[in-house]
Amino acid sequence: MFSNPTASPLTLSFTGELPRRNLTNTVPAGASICSARLEGKITTELGFPASSGDQVFTFGPGGYTAYVFDELASKWTPSEPAIKPGQAFLCRKKTPGTWVRETVKLP
């Protein structure tokens, strides 16, 4: 607990490093609900194991947005989904996969 005995705002800065370890999740074939502990683009930054025909559905103010992965083009259509920490999304995978992400250093 921190106490600021003055009437002025107090800024506290914390630095450090997250424990280096892999975060591993098995993603089954078929429909499942997934979530990420870290923020980023689902495949290029978070390492989601996308394969041809996989679908991801995110929910926002306008409803659901559907994304499909094209393995030949190595890209998501209409764009690569950006996932926030703790944001749930629906995933439909053609084949099961193992989603491995390494924790990163704090700034």
Side-chain angles (χ1 to χ4, degrees), residues 51-99:
S51 54
S52 193
D54 286 353
Q55 299 173 310
V56 164
F57 301 87
T58 59
F59 187 74
Y64 284 95
T65 302
Y67 303 88
V68 179
F69 187 75
D70 181 344
E71 194 168 36
L72 293 175
S74 288
K75 69 176 191 172
W76 289 91
T77 302
S79 63
E80 185 172 3
I83 306 298
K84 295 186 185 327
Q87 176 187 0
F89 58 92
L90 174 65
C91 172
R92 278 197 196 135
K93 286 194 59 61
K94 299 284 184 178
T95 58
T98 301
W99 188 6

Side-chain angles (χ1 to χ4, degrees), residues 6-18:
T6 70
S8 301
L10 177 65
T11 301
L12 299 174
S13 298
F14 298 91
T15 61
E17 186 175 315
L18 291 171

Side-chain angles (χ1 to χ4, degrees), residues 33-62:
I33 302 289
C34 298
S35 182
R37 292 183 184 181
L38 305 173
E39 181 172 4
K41 292 183 179 180
I42 195 167
T43 301
T44 57
E45 296 173 354
L46 299 178
F48 184 82
S51 54
S52 193
D54 286 353
Q55 299 173 310
V56 164
F57 301 87
T58 59
F59 187 74

